[in-house]
Amino acid sequence: MVRLLIKIAIFLGSAALGLWITSLLVRDFTLHLAGFLVAVVVFAIVQLVVDWIVRRFLRQNGPAVTAVAGVIAAFAALLIASLFPDGIVITTIVGWVFATLIVWIVTGVITWLAERFLLPKASRERRRS
C-alpha cells in the first residue's frame, strides 16, 4: 500500500513538472492556472493506468514497445487533459508533437529517478527476482 501511494505521488509530481516544463518550452502549449490541478490529476491517472498496462502486458516485448507505449500514453493523457476547460490548450500540430515528446521525456526521466531513489529497496529486490 505504501508503494502504491509513493507511486501515485511520483506520477502526480512528474506530471506537474512535465506539464510546467512543457508550458515553458513549447510556444503553442498553454497551461492555465485554473485548470492546472485538473490537468495534472488527469494526466497522472492516464499515465498510471498505462504504466500498469505496460508493466503487465508489454514489458516482455522489449524496451522499444515500452517506449512507444509511453509516447502514446503521453499523447493520450494530453488529449484527455485538454478536453477539460481551462486546463491545457495546444493550438498547432507542431505544438502537439513537441508537447507530447517533452512531456514524455520529462515524466519518464523524473519517474525513473524517483522510483529508483524513493521506492523501498525491498520492492526493487522483489522485482529483480
Side-chain angles (χ1 to χ4, degrees):
M1 183 65 168
V2 170
R3 181 174 162 73
L4 178 63
L5 292 175
I6 293 172
K7 200 158 185 88
I8 290 170
I10 289 170
F11 276 110
L12 286 170
S14 71
L17 283 171
L19 292 171
W20 178 67
I21 290 171
T22 302
S23 73
L24 296 176
L25 297 176
V26 178
R27 183 182 333 177
D28 301 324
F29 181 92
T30 305
L31 185 61
H32 297 284
L33 189 57
F36 179 69
L37 290 177
V38 172
V40 166
V41 170
V42 168
F43 193 88
I45 289 171
V46 172
Q47 289 288 93
L48 189 64
V49 169
V50 170
D51 179 69
W52 177 81
I53 290 169
V54 166
R55 289 182 192 274
R56 180 86 175 164
F57 300 108
L58 300 177
R59 187 129 189 138
Q60 66 272 11
N61 293 329
V65 172
T66 304
V68 169
V71 171
I72 292 169
F75 175 77
L78 285 172
L79 182 64
I80 292 168
S82 71
L83 297 176
F84 290 86
D86 294 327
I88 295 172
V89 177
I90 305 172
T91 56
T92 65
I93 292 174
V94 173
W96 277 100
V97 171
F98 283 123
T100 299
L101 292 175
I102 292 170
V103 166
W104 171 64
I105 290 168
V106 170
T107 58
V109 169
I110 292 170
T111 300
W112 178 75
L113 287 171
E115 284 181 347
R116 182 152 176 89
F117 295 110
L118 296 178
L119 288 177
K121 189 173 184 173
S123 299
R124 289 196 307 263
E125 292 299 323
R126 267 187 269 137
R127 274 198 318 240
R128 288 185 189 146
S129 49

